[in-house]
Amino acid sequence: MKAGIVGLPNVGKSTLFNCLSNAKAQSANFPFCTIEPNIGVVNVPDPRIEKLEAIVKPERVQMATVDIVDIAGLVKGASKGEGLGNQFLGNIRECNAIIHVLRCFDNDNIVHVDGNVNPIRDKETIDIELQLKDLETVDKRLEKVKRAAKTGNKEAQVEEAFLNRIREALMQAKSARTVEPKNFDEEELMENFQLITSKPVLYVCNVDEGSAVNGNKYVDQVRELVKDENAEIIVLAVGTEADITELETYEERKMFLEDLGLQEPGASVLIRAAYKLLKQQTYFTAGVKEVRAWTINIGATAPQAAGVIHSDFEKGFIRAEVIAFDDYVAYGSESKVKEAGKLKVEGKEYIVKDGDVMHFRFNV
C-alpha cells in the first residue's frame, strides 16, 4: 500500500518526503526538481510497541511500515501532457491514497510556479487536472459499456448508470470520491475503474514555523474549502520539521518541539494519518526473539492476518490465540493473562481488532 505526495512544483513535497523517510530526495528552489518518483519505506510511530518491548525484552523489534512516494510536481495542462503531466498521472494512479501538499506560507526567497501564494487556486489546479484525466477515462469506458448495455446486458446497464453519475460529478468539478456507491456492486466497480480522484486524500498545509501550532489565514481558507470533502487536514511546518530531523539527540529534538509548543514531530502525526488513510491497522506478535507490528486491512479476518506472516499460515489456519493489548499491558505477561482467563481462542470468522496480540496455530 502506497501513499503518494502530490502538489504543484516547489510547495515542499520533497522536503516533506525527506522528513518522513530520511531518504534524502533532492529538493531545491526550482520547479520539477523531482522527476522520477522517490519511494521511502517509513516506520509508523506506535507507542504500544514500546510498551510490549519493555515487557517482553525481545532480541529485536520490527515496527509497521507504510510506503510514501514523492511524485513530480504537476502544472496546469498536465491532463493534456503539459510539464511532466503524463508521467505524474501515471505515478499517482499506482498509489492507493493521496497526500496533497499545499503551500500556506509567504517567503519571497522561494519561488511559486504561479507567482504568488494562493492555496485555494493551487488546490483547484491539481483537482481540475486530475478530474479532467478521470473524465477522459470515464468517457472511454462509457463508449464500450453503452454498446453492451443496448443489447440488454444487465451488468453493463448498471455500470453505465454508475459511470454517468461519476461523469456528472466530474463535469461539475467534483472528484469521483464524492459519488457514494449505492451497493456492493458499485463499490467493486469504483475500485475497478481505478480513477485518480476516487482515492482518499489527506491535505497537508505547509506553514511557516510561527504557524505550526495554530495555523494561519491560508490554513483557514483551506479548512473552509474542504469542509464538505470528508478529508483530514494536517498543519505542518515542513522546513522546521526538516531542521528537527537533523538534530542528533532525542533531548535536542524534544527541546526544539517544546519551544514550538508541539508534543511530537508533525511528521509522526502525518505518518499515522497516512496509515489510517490507507485503511490499515496493526496487530502484534510478541516473543523473546521478536516483538513485531504487522499491517493488515481494517476488517481482516484471523486467517487473513495470519497470511501476512506467511501464506501457509492462512492455508492451514486452525485457530488464533488472542490477547487484547490493554490486557497484555495490565497483566504484564502472557502467562499471567492466561491465568486471569483473558486469552481468547478465536476461529476463522474472527475480525482482528487494532492492537490485538496474536499467536496462530496452523497445519500445512
Side-chain angles (χ1 to χ4, degrees), residues 328-347:
Y328 203 108
V329 173
Y331 289 95
S333 73
E334 186 174 325
S335 59
K336 288 181 180 177
V337 169
K338 288 179 180 176
E339 287 173 15
K342 292 291 185 177
L343 183 146
K344 298 177 183 177
V345 177
E346 303 287 359

Side-chain angles (χ1 to χ4, degrees), residues 17 35 44 95 118 137 153 178 184 198 226 229-230 250 271 273 285 329 355-356 363:
F17 176 81
I35 297 176
V44 179
C95 293
N118 185 334
T137 302
N153 184 308
T178 64
F184 179 74
S198 69
V226 307
E229 279 194 32
N230 192 29
Y250 170 79
I271 293 166
T285 52
V329 173
D356 278 350
N363 182 25

Side-chain angles (χ1 to χ4, degrees), residues 308-343:
V308 172
I309 299 176
H310 197 287
S311 58
D312 286 349
F313 283 29
E314 183 172 4
K315 291 173 187 173
F317 179 89
I318 299 172
R319 66 179 183 272
E321 296 172 358
V322 183
I323 302 171
F325 173 79
D326 288 343
D327 287 338
Y328 203 108
V329 173
Y331 289 95
S333 73
E334 186 174 325
S335 59
K336 288 181 180 177
V337 169
K338 288 179 180 176
E339 287 173 15
K342 292 291 185 177
L343 183 146

Side-chain angles (χ1 to χ4, degrees), residues 106-162:
D106 293 306
N107 187 332
D108 292 338
N109 294 320
I110 300 178
V111 297
H112 190 289
V113 71
D114 285 328
N116 66 315
V117 177
N118 185 334
I120 305 305
R121 178 203 58 217
D122 294 355
K123 177 186 177 303
E124 289 174 349
T125 296
I126 298 283
D127 285 350
I128 288 169
E129 296 305 324
L130 300 185
Q131 289 158 5
L132 285 171
K133 199 64 181 177
D134 276 352
L135 188 60
E136 184 183 305
T137 302
V138 167
D139 283 343
K140 284 180 181 176
R141 187 133 182 168
L142 269 171
E143 279 181 33
K144 295 179 182 178
V145 170
K146 280 179 180 177
R147 288 194 290 270
K150 283 179 181 177
T151 66
N153 184 308
K154 297 292 185 186
E155 289 182 359
Q157 289 172 351
V158 168
E159 184 172 342
E160 181 186 16
F162 189 39

